[in-house]
Amino acid sequence: SGFALPTQHVLGRSEVVPSKPNTELKDVYESVSGFFRPTTCRHNDEQTLIPCHVGEGLNETECLKNKCCPSKTSHELTCYMPFKDSTQLTFRLLVLVAGGFFILGCLPFCCCACLQR
């Protein structure tokens, strides 16, 4: 009597709540593409800064939301395109290949253990 009654809809056994209803193929493609195309905002002196396509005069938060790099070298904050990070790509591919060889190396032992039972 002193407790409030719940007003939320309680799901029955036949109803299923989707965990991520907006997960699409595009999101999966972007994550895989991001893994094989790493970028960085660190630049060398010989690299030229290419302005980002989102526009001029953006603050740092808007610049990062649009996957651009903020530059604080001038009086106005400008956004520039990130650079390809070949070192990170090499490291990721090395770990991926090493993991694949490890799994292939363990596969015969797992098969033999399962077949002996």
Side-chain angles (χ1 to χ4, degrees), residues 37-96:
R37 293 184 198 163
T39 57
T40 183
C41 289
R42 287 178 275 132
H43 62 89
N44 300 331
D45 292 333
E46 63 267 2
Q47 292 174 326
T48 58
L49 299 179
I50 301 169
C52 198
H53 61 276
V54 294
E56 293 291 325
L58 297 176
N59 62 17
E60 186 173 350
T61 306
E62 291 174 351
C63 192
L64 292 173
K65 281 182 184 176
N66 291 309
K67 298 179 183 178
C68 295
C69 300
S71 173
K72 295 182 181 181
T73 57
S74 63
H75 291 55
E76 267 187 50
L77 180 70
T78 59
C79 295
Y80 62 92
M81 297 295 287
F83 301 102
K84 292 179 184 176
D85 194 356
S86 58
T87 306
Q88 185 72 5
L89 177 62
T90 304
F91 177 73
R92 289 178 182 180
L93 290 177
L94 181 67
V95 169
L96 190 68

Side-chain angles (χ1 to χ4, degrees), residues 10-16:
V10 179
L11 294 175
R13 290 186 179 196
S14 63
E15 295 180 73
V16 178

